[in-house]
Amino acid sequence: MRIVRLANYVAPVSGGLRTALRELGAGYLAAGHEPILVIPGPRPGREYTRQGLVITVPGVIVPGTGGYRAITARRPLRRLLDDLAPDRLEVSDRTTLRWTGRWAQDRGVRSMMVSHDSLAKLTGMFAPPGLTGQWVSDQLNASTAACYDVVVCTTGWAAAEFRRLHVRNLRQVPLGVDLDCFRPSNRDTGLRAQFAEPGQPLLVHCSRLSPEKRPERAIGALAELRRRGVPAVLVVAGDEPRLRGLRAQARDLPVRFLRYVTDRAVLARLLATADVVVAPGPAETFGLSALEALASGTPVVVNDTSALPEVIGQAGLTAPDNDAAIADAIQCLLGTDVELRRARARARAERFGW
């Protein structure tokens, strides 16, 4: 079966979505299907990878996102879809690609939209004054559900905005984690010595440095911990678009910025070596980086308004969206038995193998 997959906002330094697309494509290929992924880029291209054929089509840069692109030209994409003649269409975007559901309906092609974000949460965070974010998200979500045969959400939290509209073609399917790549045995004392002195708790924040990820909360929590006399240090693994401002915020604090970590083995060692990972984004709909931390044996502090409490279970702690509360949660985890918290984290992650 030929499965054509469309996605926006996939860049060399993007994280969770790119990981999910890669793993799902590899799974389709291993199951005997023919997956073809179409993504935006600066120029056209075709490449055969472990997830099947990846086709790059020209996409426009979305301002303020640190280089993310979106496919906006409908006519060439429509021609490409006609040429590819998919048996199934899978779309991972609800903005400029939503129209492809109608394309599939017109041709009798079964289609699926995979929701990787919460429009209700994002519009609530970024809607202009006077505009009701709930109304906007409801209209877009109702349109999405009408365009596709199936809408897939990765958590109950993410599915809630569709359930409130009584969407009947909704399915909930969690994402997964590479349990072989990310594991507690990657803990590296040599790597730890590069960032922390003996007795210093090592904190890690790993995400794209964008407003919805709240990276400033990790730095603010570190400042609060230092004020309390906890000699913690922080490593931030991520890039753009807020890197410059975060560097300024962390000027007088022990924070190391690694930018985007391209080597998954290095990232796996870092996550396994950390004492606590901080994932403070209030709009996380699943949180692959948090799950990778758990698989590495490291507990996570998460925003209590996101989907992450549903994912981490008892393998971490939740906190309100403020520096002091996140510092409280970090301090609480640091006060628990190391081996117990690491075993609990790994056990939770093992429920989410790909």
Side-chain angles (χ1 to χ4, degrees), residues 9-343:
Y9 317 118
V10 183
V13 296
S14 59
L17 176 57
R18 191 159 65 98
T19 298
L21 291 170
R22 181 184 65 235
E23 295 296 337
L24 291 171
Y28 292 146
L29 194 62
H33 301 297
E34 182 189 3
I36 301 173
L37 176 63
V38 181
I39 57 174
R43 63 189 65 85
R46 293 190 176 217
E47 180 184 8
Y48 285 92
T49 72
R50 63 179 290 263
Q51 62 173 308
L53 175 62
V54 177
I55 299 176
T56 304
V57 300
V60 299
I61 292 180
V62 180
T65 62
Y68 276 10
R69 293 177 182 269
I71 302 170
T72 57
R74 292 192 179 189
R75 186 173 298 174
L77 180 57
R78 188 179 289 110
R79 286 198 300 265
L80 176 61
L81 288 173
D82 286 335
D83 290 342
L84 292 174
D87 299 301
R88 296 290 186 271
L89 182 70
E90 176 186 302
V91 183
S92 292
D93 175 70
R94 281 186 279 173
T95 57
T96 67
L97 298 177
R98 194 171 64 251
W99 63 270
T100 60
R102 296 296 187 192
W103 175 92
Q105 288 178 349
D106 291 343
R107 287 154 181 80
V109 176
R110 295 280 292 173
S111 64
M112 177 170 73
M113 166 68 73
V114 184
S115 175
H116 294 278
D117 50 33
S118 168
L119 285 183
K121 190 72 173 183
L122 291 174
T123 54
M125 292 172 63
F126 300 113
L131 184 63
T132 304
Q134 188 70 68
W135 182 87
V136 173
S137 63
D138 282 352
Q139 297 302 306
L140 292 174
N141 287 333
S143 175
T144 294
C147 287
Y148 292 87
D149 292 300
V150 179
V151 175
V152 170
C153 291
T154 56
T155 56
W157 183 93
E161 63 180 344
F162 290 98
R163 289 202 173 102
R164 69 182 300 276
L165 300 175
H166 306 290
V167 169
R168 295 188 176 185
N169 55 335
L170 179 67
R171 301 292 183 271
Q172 186 177 322
V173 183
L175 298 178
V177 64
D178 187 337
L179 293 167
D180 293 323
C181 177
F182 297 96
R183 59 187 189 276
S185 60
N186 288 323
R187 195 172 180 88
D188 187 333
T189 55
L191 181 66
R192 183 185 183 87
Q194 296 179 29
F195 303 122
E197 297 177 2
Q200 288 186 316
L202 175 61
L203 313 179
V204 168
H205 172 70
C206 179
S207 79
R208 192 167 64 92
L209 305 181
S210 54
E212 73 276 10
K213 300 292 186 180
R214 290 283 199 276
E216 71 276 8
R217 287 282 179 253
I219 298 173
L222 175 69
E224 175 64 20
L225 288 169
R226 302 284 295 189
R227 187 188 66 77
R228 298 176 185 180
V230 180
V233 299
L234 173 66
V235 173
V236 176
D239 214 338
E240 296 297 353
R242 301 191 62 187
L243 179 59
R244 181 179 297 180
L246 294 170
R247 286 188 185 278
Q249 179 188 357
R251 184 176 294 114
D252 299 320
L253 293 168
V255 180
R256 289 279 297 277
F257 290 90
L258 299 185
R259 309 292 291 267
Y260 181 78
V261 179
T262 57
D263 190 327
R264 294 179 76 218
V266 172
L267 178 61
R269 287 165 52 214
L270 176 64
L271 292 176
T273 303
D275 293 301
V276 176
V277 166
V278 186
E284 293 288 350
T285 55
F286 188 81
L288 272 179
S289 64
L291 189 56
E292 289 169 350
L294 296 184
S296 303
T298 303
V300 187
V301 172
V302 304
N303 192 303
D304 64 3
T305 66
S306 74
L308 280 172
E310 180 181 338
V311 175
I312 69 169
Q314 301 300 309
L317 288 175
T318 67
D321 190 14
N322 67 77
D323 298 345
I326 293 172
D328 289 342
I330 294 171
Q331 218 169 343
C332 183
L333 285 175
L334 292 174
T336 61
D337 179 76
V338 174
E339 294 307 317
L340 175 61
R341 73 190 189 218
R342 289 180 63 77

